[in-house]
């Protein structure tokens, strides 16, 4: 943790030095809270000459659609704000882990990140973005995320986590991989399955008969190689980037989690901006979403083709049977507040 904090501090200090040089070190009119800087006062309701520097962290590498979309956002914002907003993108956990950056944005030492169910620590409804078998196709997911329930989730994130959701990205479905074909829940009984350390992953797989084993993603390849675990589950992109095809023969098309993830900015930072620059940010976020979705759709096809070329075999499964087996674990995990929203979603997207 000390190393991460030191790394984050170094990045922030560098960014502030750059900002100070660009603004002549005159901060008398700067908005409080966050990393924005100014080279003069601004008229009420207008941007004037106030300048803002936004630190945008992602957990993915430079070639991932999220990071590419972040760079697109930075370029668009700089152009449309006439240089008044400078977004500095830090991919590949350069600002720290996802949780580290959430807290940094809340504290005003970073400004933006891509995040999802990790926010449930502050906003319980954020868990709904990644509930197993909540919806069954991408079209339903998009309607959910952009509809009234999605707005309710966003509002709670703003109120309880202090983060404004600018837009969302669709994520690839999570799929199960193993060294044997698995077609029904009976086939997973007793297998040691690596999952993220989160109740919404643990209990549903326990209900299906597997032996969930929470493990850091960085340890999974070695765990599979040394037979400490038998299987894992992730979207195509994560299977590819971690080279799991080298230690797993089969990819089961369970589609057990279809989820979305938010691009957020500190609510205080956003509120500190004048209305015209707020519009620049929200308009650029909409363009970023369209751009990322194009990259995502293509990467899903490319990643599957790449995995098949490397010898991984894809297996169709009885998704209805998996949903039936895992649902009791889902329901056992949800709070009353979450269960109410879950029932509403299920009634809407039958």
């Amino acid at each position: 943790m000390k190393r991460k904090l030191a790394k984050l501090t170094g990045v922030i200090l560098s960014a502030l030095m750059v900002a100070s040089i660009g603004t002549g070190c005159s901060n008398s009119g700067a908005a409080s809270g966050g990393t924005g800087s100014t080279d003069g006062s601004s008229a009420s309701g207008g941007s004037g000459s106030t300048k803002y520097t936004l630190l945008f962290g992602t957990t993915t590498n430079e070639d991932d659609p999220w990071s590419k979309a972040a760079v697109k956002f930075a370029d668009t914002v700089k152009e449309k704000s006439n240089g008044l907003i400078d977004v500095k993108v830090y991919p590949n956990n350069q600002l720290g882990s996802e949780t580290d950056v959430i807290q940094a944005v809340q504290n005003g030492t970073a400004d933006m990140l891509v995040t999802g169910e990790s926010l449930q620590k502050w906003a319980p409804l954020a868990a709904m973005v990644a509930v197993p078998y909540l919806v069954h196709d991408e079209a339903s997911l998009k309607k959910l995320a952009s509809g009234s329930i999605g707005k309710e989730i966003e509002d709670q994130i703003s109120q309880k986590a202090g983060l404004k959701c600018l837009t969302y990205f669709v994520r690839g479905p999570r799929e199960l991989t193993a060294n044997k074909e698995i077609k029904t829940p009976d086939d997973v009984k007793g297998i040691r399955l690596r999952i993220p350390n989160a109740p919404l992953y643990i209990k549903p797989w326990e209900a299906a008969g597997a032996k969930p084993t929470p493990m850091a993603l960085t340890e999974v390849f070695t765990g599979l190689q040394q037979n400490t675990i038998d299987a894992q589950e992730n979207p195509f992109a994560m299977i590819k980037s971690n080279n799991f095809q080298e230690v797993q023969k089969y990819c089961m098309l369970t589609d057990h989690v279809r989820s979305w993830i938010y691009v957020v900015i500190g609510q205080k930072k956003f509120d500190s901006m004048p209305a015209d620059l707020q519009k620049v940010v929200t308009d650029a976020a909409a363009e970023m979403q369209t751009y990322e979705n194009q990259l995502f759709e293509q990467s899903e096809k490319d990643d599957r083709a790449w995995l098949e070329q490397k010898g991984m075999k894809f297996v169709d499964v009885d998704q209805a049977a998996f949903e039936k087996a895992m649902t009791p674990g889902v329901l056992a995990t949800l709070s009353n507040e979450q269960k109410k929203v879950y029932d509403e979603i299920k009634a809407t997207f039958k």
Side-chain angles (χ1 to χ4, degrees), residues 8-316:
L8 177 57
T9 301
V11 169
I12 293 167
L13 288 174
S14 297
L16 289 173
M17 289 176 66
V18 170
S20 296
I21 293 170
T23 59
C25 299
S26 174
N27 295 320
S28 60
S32 62
T35 55
S37 61
T38 176
D39 61 1
S41 60
S42 60
S44 176
S47 57
S49 55
T50 303
K51 291 187 177 181
Y52 295 86
T53 298
L54 304 180
L55 308 188
F56 188 167
T58 74
T59 58
T60 57
N61 64 37
E62 295 88 342
D63 296 325
D64 184 87
W66 293 358
S67 294
K68 288 182 177 180
V71 172
K72 169 73 171 176
F73 172 81
D75 292 342
T76 303
V77 163
K78 188 171 186 177
E79 177 185 352
K80 291 190 173 181
S81 71
N82 294 318
L84 293 180
I85 303 176
D86 183 19
V87 180
K88 298 184 181 301
V89 179
Y90 295 93
N92 209 27
N93 290 307
Q94 288 183 46
L95 294 184
S97 70
E98 183 178 343
T99 300
D100 289 336
V101 183
I102 290 171
Q103 294 173 333
V105 173
Q106 290 171 328
N107 295 332
T109 52
D111 302 291
M112 295 180 65
L113 78 151
V114 183
T115 185
E117 62 269 24
S118 296
L119 291 171
Q120 66 186 286
K121 176 181 177 181
W122 297 271
L125 291 185
M128 307 311 295
V129 307
V131 174
Y133 290 113
L134 185 64
V135 292
H136 299 102
D137 56 70
E138 188 175 314
S140 296
L141 185 146
K142 289 180 176 179
K143 288 181 181 179
L144 170 59
S146 59
S148 60
I149 296 175
K151 180 65 165 56
E152 183 180 354
I153 296 171
E154 292 179 15
D155 288 345
Q156 189 180 87
I157 291 171
S158 174
Q159 294 163 9
K160 295 192 174 184
L163 305 174
K164 178 179 177 58
C165 299
L166 292 174
T167 191
Y168 69 88
F169 297 154
V170 174
R171 298 154 101 176
R174 297 182 79 92
E175 315 290 10
L176 177 66
T177 70
N179 282 320
K180 69 172 186 176
E181 286 195 15
I182 293 173
K183 294 187 176 182
T184 71
D186 287 340
D187 299 329
V188 303
K189 294 190 182 303
I191 68 167
R192 297 165 298 175
L193 171 63
R194 180 271 171 183
I195 45 84
N197 189 16
L200 270 171
Y201 290 97
I202 296 172
K203 290 187 178 180
W205 281 110
E206 283 181 343
K211 293 182 178 179
T213 305
M215 180 182 292
L217 184 62
T218 53
E219 300 172 5
V220 175
F221 185 94
T222 301
L224 293 168
Q225 192 175 46
Q226 297 178 351
N227 295 316
T228 304
I229 50 175
D230 306 308
Q232 69 85 47
E233 49 82 56
N234 261 303
F236 293 157
M238 297 300 290
I239 297 170
K240 175 186 175 183
S241 65
N242 288 278
N243 288 309
F244 291 148
Q245 80 287 344
E246 295 182 8
V247 286
Q248 299 272 265
K249 295 179 181 177
Y250 299 98
C251 179
M252 275 54 70
L253 300 175
T254 48
D255 289 0
H256 55 276
V257 176
R258 287 185 176 273
S259 62
W260 71 97
I261 197 162
Y262 290 110
V263 177
V264 301
I265 185 172
Q267 186 69 59
K268 289 182 179 179
K269 170 51 69 72
F270 184 80
D271 291 343
S272 76
M273 294 180 173
D276 57 339
L277 292 187
Q278 288 180 350
K279 188 174 188 305
V280 166
V281 169
T282 55
D283 287 352
E287 291 186 28
M288 171 174 57
Q289 183 189 46
T290 300
Y291 178 70
E292 192 280 338
N293 192 65
Q294 294 170 348
L295 296 178
F296 163 73
E297 296 289 353
Q298 187 59 49
S299 70
E300 282 289 281
K301 298 175 183 177
D302 292 346
D303 291 344
R304 173 167 177 165
W306 186 89
L307 290 169
E308 288 179 320
Q309 183 182 13
K310 295 295 182 180
M312 181 167 267
K313 296 180 180 179
F314 287 77
V315 180
D316 290 321

